[in-house]
Amino acid sequence: MYERILVATDGSELSEQAVTAAIDLALLTQSELFAVKVSHHHAASYFEGSLLLSQMEVSRLRDEADVESQRVVDAVKGKADSRGVKRTTGIVMRAEGVSEAIIEAARVHHCDLIVMASHGRRGIKRLLMGSETLHVLTHSHTPVLVLR
């Protein structure tokens, strides 16, 4: 049924449910699993609480985000490996747009399913915060399994 499953994670408790479901599905279908964490990078200079950050500070924040992202995908890989998934690959993507990076990772790695969680925001919260899951659902050519 599926040969290559991509699971998007941000390390949150909710995304851990998606990781568990993706691992279960990978085991059931004997699929490869790709765990992707987007290391969200803002433009080179941006405002943090009305203070313009120096390039050095922006660079330090990016490095910290990359290290944390690698920790998250390594944890998914460890969990999948311990459960017996035949092959798990951890992917850290640097990007400004999270949903676009998830779609690109699925395309590049020829995944036939994307598994991700939705925070289930509605109304003004969705308007203000947006929905990465909704963007993936509406723009990806790869089927998406959303867990809430």
Side-chain angles (χ1 to χ4, degrees):
M1 179 176 215
Y2 299 113
E3 294 178 15
R4 304 176 125 218
I5 298 170
L6 182 133
V7 61
T9 182
D10 61 8
S12 69
E13 188 176 315
L14 185 60
S15 72
E16 283 303 307
Q17 293 174 12
V19 166
T20 300
I23 290 171
D24 291 344
L25 190 55
L27 287 169
L28 183 68
T29 60
Q30 293 298 299
S31 301
E32 291 181 59
L33 184 65
F34 295 83
V36 66
K37 167 73 170 87
V38 179
S39 185
H40 189 72
H41 287 197
H42 299 280
S45 63
Y46 63 97
F47 288 91
E48 181 70 30
S50 77
L51 295 175
L52 185 60
L53 299 178
S54 70
Q55 183 61 40
M56 202 156 112
E57 186 67 11
V58 169
S59 199
R60 183 186 64 76
L61 291 171
R62 285 182 175 177
D63 290 345
E64 286 176 8
D66 290 345
V67 167
E68 174 60 16
S69 295
Q70 189 64 54
R71 184 196 65 74
V72 169
V73 296
D74 287 348
V76 173
K77 186 173 178 357
K79 185 175 181 181
D81 289 348
S82 71
R83 297 264 321 271
V85 173
K86 73 176 183 177
R87 182 171 176 223
T88 307
T89 303
I91 305 162
V92 173
M93 296 192 67
R94 287 181 161 192
E96 286 184 38
V98 174
S99 54
E100 290 89 357
I102 292 168
I103 292 167
E104 179 67 8
R107 187 189 66 74
V108 166
H109 295 282
H110 308 288
C111 295
D112 38 30
L113 180 68
I114 298 171
V115 178
M116 60 191 306
S118 173
H119 291 280
R121 293 184 188 105
R122 300 189 190 286
I124 194 73
K125 282 187 180 178
R126 177 182 276 172
L127 181 64
L128 293 174
M129 299 177 79
S131 171
E132 299 297 342
T133 304
L134 181 61
H135 191 271
V136 172
L137 273 168
T138 57
H139 291 85
S140 177
H141 295 290
T142 304
V144 182
L145 172 62
V146 178
L147 299 155
R148 285 188 10 174

